């Protein structure tokens, strides 16, 4: 009863990838089994990983002193970011520290906070505006309230593409608040960060390169298999200060080259960088950019078609490649009835077996959603998606009207 995330009709949650050369890279990594915790043990291979991170750093317009880390996913990138900020800004006094997230932020942030010793009563949830973006006035107010209570606000998380509706927080304005208030600004780009690879789409993520740290998920936006996340930290020394440690049986820590074990929690580790490096080399950055731009175009086109379906009300237009909507109509007058019909719409379309859709509960409302990010998704799947939504929405609206 599993579902096939690499399929072209997978428009649910946030699609993942599964490009073929990544499997070859894993095969090579596993069979050569080189030790990549420290540069000296496998200089050429570790340098490939460093180069892949540098490529991400440059694509995100982070400065040369930024350093990064490949992680198993976005959640672990978030955990390392919060540990890094905590170490730098709180030191040993962690109990007074507070962090700020929007009500639409991914739940992995609160979990990462907990793992990093920031308890739930120190995580502040900030309201969003009508477009599901963090409200700056509410953020400012929450920071002031904490300061008034003798607490120490130290970190704000913004999201470049939320999972529920694809909203991009006002990254520039949040960066301004963070700079003014001395907070660490982390951008969660697990879903949306990849759109920054496309120069023509960068304006949608304005302010992203100002972040102190950034979560990326190449297993989403670079179409790699699960198990490929990444973290970039603006001042690489901050990441190193958290992780660098030494043992008598190891060679001295060196500063000249990138030692993964000095920038991340693992010592013995696999070789995730090869997946990224090989796919970039084989496909080339230009093909990645074209594929990512195509996903956005498909989402924009589909959203226009779906907005015109009788009964569909658009709640969130595609800021990137994800949009959300609900169903209304005669007999669907209450929120409960609309939620139930919208849920049923997602299920009926999915049951037809060609495209898979999932919804999300956002506050009181259940939203239907479409997210385009599978490298195999093309216009044909989007046409099927639209057609099935047209037919199932019509059936549901007619059924509700009959029952009144
Ligand atoms: C916006 C966002 N942030 C964070 C995550 C967590 O990333 P991962 O599942 O790779 O740990 C997700 C995952 O789906 C996400 O959509």
């Amino acid at each position: 009863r599993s579902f096939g995330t690499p399929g072209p009709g997978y428009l649910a949650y946030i699609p993942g990838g599964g490009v073929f050369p990544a499997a070859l890279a894993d095969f090579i990594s596993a069979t050569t089994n080189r030790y990549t915790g420290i540069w000296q043990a496998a200089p050429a291979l570790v340098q490939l990983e460093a180069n892949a991170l540098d490529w991400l750093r440059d694509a995100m317009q982070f400065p040369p002193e930024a350093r990064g880390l490949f992680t198993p996913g976005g959640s672990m990138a978030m955990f390392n970011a919060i540990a890094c900020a905590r170490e730098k800004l709180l030191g040993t006094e962690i109990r007074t520290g507070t962090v700020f997230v929007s009500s639409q932020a991914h739940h992995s942030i609160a979990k990462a906070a907990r793992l990093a010793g920031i308890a739930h009563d120190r995580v502040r949830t900030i309201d969003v505006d009508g477009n599901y973006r963090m409200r700056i006035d509410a953020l400012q107010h929450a920071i002031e309230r904490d300061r008034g209570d003798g607490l120490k606000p130290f970190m704000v998380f913004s999201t470049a593409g939320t999972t529920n509706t694809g909203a991009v927080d006002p990254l520039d304005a949040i960066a301004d608040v963070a700079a003014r208030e001395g907070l660490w600004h982390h951008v969660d780009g697990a879903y949306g960060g990849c759109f920054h690879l496309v120069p023509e789409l960068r304006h949608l993520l304005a302010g992203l390169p100002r972040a102190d740290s950034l979560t990326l998920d190449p297993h989403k936006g670079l179409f790699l298999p699960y198990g490929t996340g990444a973290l970039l930290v603006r001042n690489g020394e901050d990441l190193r200060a958290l992780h660098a440690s030494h043992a008598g049986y190891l060679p001295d820590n060196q500063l000249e080259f990138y030692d993964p074990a000095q920038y991340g929690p693992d010592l013995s580790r696999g070789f995730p960088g090869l997946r990224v490096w090989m796919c970039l080399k084989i496909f080339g950055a230009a093909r990645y950019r074209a594929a990512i731009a195509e996903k956005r175009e498909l989402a924009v086109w589909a959203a226009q078609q779906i907005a015109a379906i009788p009964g569909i009300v658009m709640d969130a237009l595609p800021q990137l490649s994800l949009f959300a909507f609900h169903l209304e109509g005669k007999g669907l007058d209450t929120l409960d009835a609309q939620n139930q019909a919208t849920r049923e719409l997602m299920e009926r379309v999915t049951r037809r077996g060609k495209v898979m859709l999932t919804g999300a509960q956002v506050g009181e409302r259940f939203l239907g959603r479409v997210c385009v990010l599978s490298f195999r998704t093309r216009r044909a799947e989007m046409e099927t998606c639209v057609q099935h939504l047209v037919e199932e929405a019509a059936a549901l609206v007619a059924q509700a009207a009959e029952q009144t």
Side-chain angles (χ1 to χ4, degrees):
R1 308 257 311 154
S2 73
F3 47 83
T5 55
Y10 186 77
L11 306 171
Y13 306 107
I14 308 286
V19 287
F20 174 63
L24 285 183
D26 284 3
F27 178 77
I28 294 168
S29 301
T31 48
T32 57
N33 198 36
R34 288 294 193 272
Y35 188 83
T36 63
I38 54 176
W39 188 88
Q40 285 173 28
L45 297 189
V46 175
Q47 193 57 48
L48 294 188
E49 184 158 303
N51 291 355
L53 284 166
D54 285 354
W55 183 83
L56 285 176
R57 177 198 67 192
D58 294 346
M60 297 297 142
Q61 297 179 309
F62 267 48
E65 64 275 15
R67 287 288 171 274
L69 171 70
F70 283 115
T71 62
S75 302
M76 286 309 284
M78 234 78 85
F79 168 62
N80 279 282
I82 195 166
C84 200
R86 186 208 65 199
E87 184 77 3
K88 176 167 180 166
L89 296 176
L90 300 181
T92 53
E93 296 302 315
I94 67 176
R95 188 59 192 136
T96 50
T98 56
V99 305
F100 302 82
V101 299
S102 94
S103 60
Q104 292 302 302
H106 195 266
H107 65 280
S108 59
I109 297 175
K111 182 169 164 179
R114 201 158 65 234
L115 290 172
I118 309 298
H120 65 92
D121 63 345
R122 295 297 188 252
V123 179
R124 308 286 178 247
T125 304
I126 308 299
D127 280 346
V128 292
D129 64 17
N131 288 317
Y132 305 101
R133 296 189 254 222
M134 186 188 279
R135 273 179 42 201
I136 297 297
D137 60 326
L139 171 64
Q140 189 69 53
H141 184 68
I143 293 170
E144 281 159 20
R145 198 175 44 218
D146 273 356
R147 286 213 207 284
D149 290 345
L151 296 169
K152 185 158 186 221
F154 77 101
M155 187 170 196
V156 55
F157 286 85
S158 58
T159 307
T162 60
T163 318
N164 286 342
T165 65
V168 178
D169 283 328
L171 307 178
D172 244 336
I174 295 172
D176 287 342
V177 173
R180 203 168 51 235
E181 299 285 346
L183 268 59
W184 181 294
H185 179 205
H186 180 86
V187 174
D188 175 5
Y191 154 56
C194 61
F195 290 90
H196 202 269
L197 296 177
V198 186
E200 302 78 51
L201 299 182
R202 281 187 185 159
H203 66 280
L204 301 172
L205 300 164
L208 178 143
R210 294 176 63 195
D212 292 301
S213 52
L214 172 67
T215 292
L216 294 170
D217 245 354
H219 63 201
K220 296 185 174 80
L222 292 185
F223 317 128
L224 296 176
Y226 290 125
T228 326
L231 170 70
L232 292 178
V233 176
R234 170 170 226 86
N235 179 359
E237 279 311 304
D238 293 339
L239 190 58
R240 189 183 177 106
L242 174 69
H243 291 295
S245 53
H246 186 61
Y249 69 92
L250 288 174
D252 285 342
N253 285 348
Q254 51 83 32
L255 293 166
E256 202 178 346
F257 300 104
Y258 175 78
D259 271 344
Q262 288 192 55
Y263 289 92
D266 299 320
L267 181 58
S268 299
R269 60 197 287 279
F271 185 23
L274 190 61
R275 289 172 164 193
V276 183
W277 185 85
M278 249 176 77
C279 291
L280 278 169
K281 282 288 170 191
I282 288 175
F283 296 123
R287 282 182 74 192
Y288 266 112
R289 284 195 287 269
I292 292 164
E294 180 200 21
K295 303 312 157 206
R296 177 171 154 77
E297 281 163 27
L298 291 174
V300 169
W301 176 82
Q304 280 163 357
Q305 313 304 308
I306 291 166
I309 298 175
I312 293 279
V313 177
M314 292 302 275
D315 294 277
L317 292 169
Q319 293 184 30
L320 299 168
S321 69
L322 196 176
F323 56 94
F325 49 88
H326 71 271
L327 202 54
E328 284 186 9
K330 196 159 167 253
L332 299 175
D333 312 317
T334 64
L335 185 63
D336 258 5
Q338 291 167 6
N339 284 352
Q340 214 179 319
T342 306
R343 193 184 291 274
E344 179 72 15
L345 180 62
M346 297 293 97
E347 284 169 9
R348 285 192 185 189
V349 169
T350 300
R351 236 179 281 138
R352 291 170 72 151
K354 294 294 181 203
V355 300
M356 177 170 169
L357 302 182
T358 49
Q361 186 74 37
V362 179
E364 300 282 283
R365 194 171 274 295
F366 185 84
L367 298 179
R369 55 195 281 299
V370 170
C371 182
V372 192
L373 201 61
S374 168
F375 73 97
R376 292 190 172 93
T377 302
R378 290 280 150 74
R379 177 69 173 246
E381 285 75 33
M382 299 318 295
E383 285 173 1
T384 305
C385 174
V386 170
Q387 188 196 335
H388 289 189
L389 277 168
V390 166
E391 290 165 10
E392 297 300 343
L396 279 162
V397 167
Q399 187 184 315
E402 254 170 45
Q403 285 166 1
T404 53

